[in-house]
Amino acid sequence: MTDLVMRTLDANSAHLFHTMPDPLALAEKHRRTTFRPEWQRIALRDGRTVARAAWWGRAEDTEPLLINWLDVAEGEEAAGAELLRTAPWRPDEIDLDLPAGWRDDTRLRAAAEARVAAARLAGYTPLVERFLYRWTPDRGLPERPGRLVFTPEPDDDVFLDLLRRIHSVTLDAHARRAIAQGGVEQAAQEELDIFHWMPSPRSWWQIARTGAGDPVGIHIPARNPSGPCVGFIGVVPEHRGHGYAYDLLVECTRFLAAEGAEFIAAATDRSNFPMAAHFTKAGYPVVRERVNFWVDGAVGAG
């Protein structure tokens, strides 16, 4: 094979990013995503683009937060890995978004496995697979079960305490990774930091209580940079087993709909069967799937 040429793009060359086939429909997935051309790279062989990657961050970020577009041509997994390894940015995470049901389609499965191989070669390890959901008004608003009382709470410490309790027993892979690194306190604080990172109002955060005033959990109606989303649903361990997560999801959905949401994005781990069932019941279809990759150390530049 001829040598690879790595190229970081700019405003004048950004169009070159779209010179590859798109079997995983990533362009459609990211049609609401704003990428900086200078955070996009391609790998060329004989003048043909054989791998591409896009790093993402908010407008105010000076460094990318993650990689959320990774493509490789057939047989070019090593080129994709080299593209990541030689980049000047080394975020911990890759989000590989895939069409729903990709395992059942031979062509999609092969494309997905090639990108997984590239990520692994670059030093990233799969952390979790997730379902991505999207509610739209035509699905109808789910009815409130009416079992809980929802109120805002201005004190971050109250949320932090509930997050500690929620994450003391959790199925969430990201929380479990944070717990392994720094305990429940780290997992709770990381979650709270994400809530503050969202560009939606702090006043939207709500606590759910029983009629007697006992805290059951929290829900965070939110907006991320791409639009309205279910920011978080969590029930404290002593109130699990009653389906209260569904009540929180319904309230979150109705709250965002009342704010004029034309769609609501959401996600949960594939292995979180109870939450996946709640999303289905509330009218959230699976629209994409995702493999989250993480690296424990920095990915060394070449």
Side-chain angles (χ1 to χ4, degrees):
M1 284 189 175
T2 55
D3 291 339
L4 287 169
V5 175
M6 304 296 174
R7 182 170 179 180
T8 300
L9 305 179
D10 57 27
N12 293 324
S13 58
H15 64 281
L16 297 176
F17 191 82
H18 301 284
T19 56
M20 281 183 66
D22 186 21
L24 300 179
L26 291 172
E28 172 60 22
K29 158 63 185 174
H30 290 301
R31 62 189 175 89
R32 296 177 180 270
T33 309
T34 300
F35 291 107
R36 303 185 200 182
E38 65 272 20
W39 285 357
Q40 295 179 306
R41 305 185 82 222
I42 59 174
L44 300 161
R45 194 186 301 280
D46 294 330
R48 182 174 69 93
T49 302
V50 296
R52 59 181 173 177
W55 286 251
W56 180 86
R58 299 167 300 172
E60 64 268 31
D61 292 325
T62 58
E63 292 286 327
L65 299 177
L66 55 84
I67 303 162
N68 64 355
W69 191 321
L70 173 63
D71 260 343
V72 298
E74 183 178 355
E76 293 286 1
E77 292 87 345
E82 188 70 6
L83 186 68
L84 301 183
R85 282 196 298 262
T86 59
W89 323 285
R90 291 176 279 274
D92 289 339
E93 183 176 6
I94 298 176
D95 287 352
L96 178 60
D97 283 358
L98 304 165
W102 59 273
R103 288 178 179 80
D104 301 325
D105 183 299
T106 302
R107 181 181 63 91
L108 293 178
R109 184 165 188 154
E113 289 175 347
R115 287 144 185 83
V116 169
R120 283 183 175 276
L121 285 170
Y124 289 86
T125 301
L127 173 70
V128 66
E129 296 186 25
R130 311 199 80 202
F131 288 128
L132 305 184
Y133 301 91
R134 186 182 178 91
W135 177 89
T136 49
D138 61 286
R139 307 290 300 187
L141 282 171
E143 292 295 325
R144 289 184 172 99
R147 299 186 294 175
L148 302 175
V149 178
F150 297 89
T151 57
E153 169 54 61
D155 188 347
D156 276 12
D157 286 341
V158 175
F159 280 97
L160 193 59
D161 179 62
L162 287 169
L163 285 166
R164 292 187 191 102
R165 292 162 63 184
I166 290 165
H167 285 325
S168 66
V169 182
T170 181
L171 296 173
D172 184 88
H174 287 81
R176 291 166 71 91
R177 181 177 187 270
I179 291 167
Q181 291 177 328
V184 171
E185 188 67 31
Q186 178 174 320
Q189 187 60 56
E190 285 185 3
E191 209 75 69
L192 190 69
D193 290 344
I194 291 172
F195 299 168
H196 278 296
W197 175 85
M198 298 279 192
S200 40
R202 167 65 175 78
S203 59
W204 287 7
W205 306 5
Q206 292 193 337
I207 293 177
R209 293 180 171 88
T210 64
D214 190 21
V216 168
I218 64 178
H219 79 97
I220 308 295
R223 291 183 184 273
N224 64 26
S226 296
C229 65
V230 176
F232 185 83
I233 300 288
V235 176
V236 295
E238 59 268 32
H239 281 294
R240 292 178 189 165
H242 304 289
Y244 283 139
Y246 178 74
D247 301 46
L248 272 66
L249 176 59
V250 170
E251 192 66 23
C252 193
T253 303
R254 296 184 72 96
F255 185 101
L256 289 168
E259 291 291 328
E262 297 181 358
F263 69 89
I264 302 171
T268 197
D269 294 359
R270 281 182 61 99
S271 57
N272 191 341
F273 301 116
M275 197 66 222
H278 293 326
F279 276 116
T280 299
K281 182 179 177 181
Y284 282 74
V286 175
V287 292
R288 302 277 295 184
E289 298 182 33
R290 173 178 292 165
V291 182
N292 286 113
F293 294 83
W294 285 84
V295 62
D296 291 325
V299 180

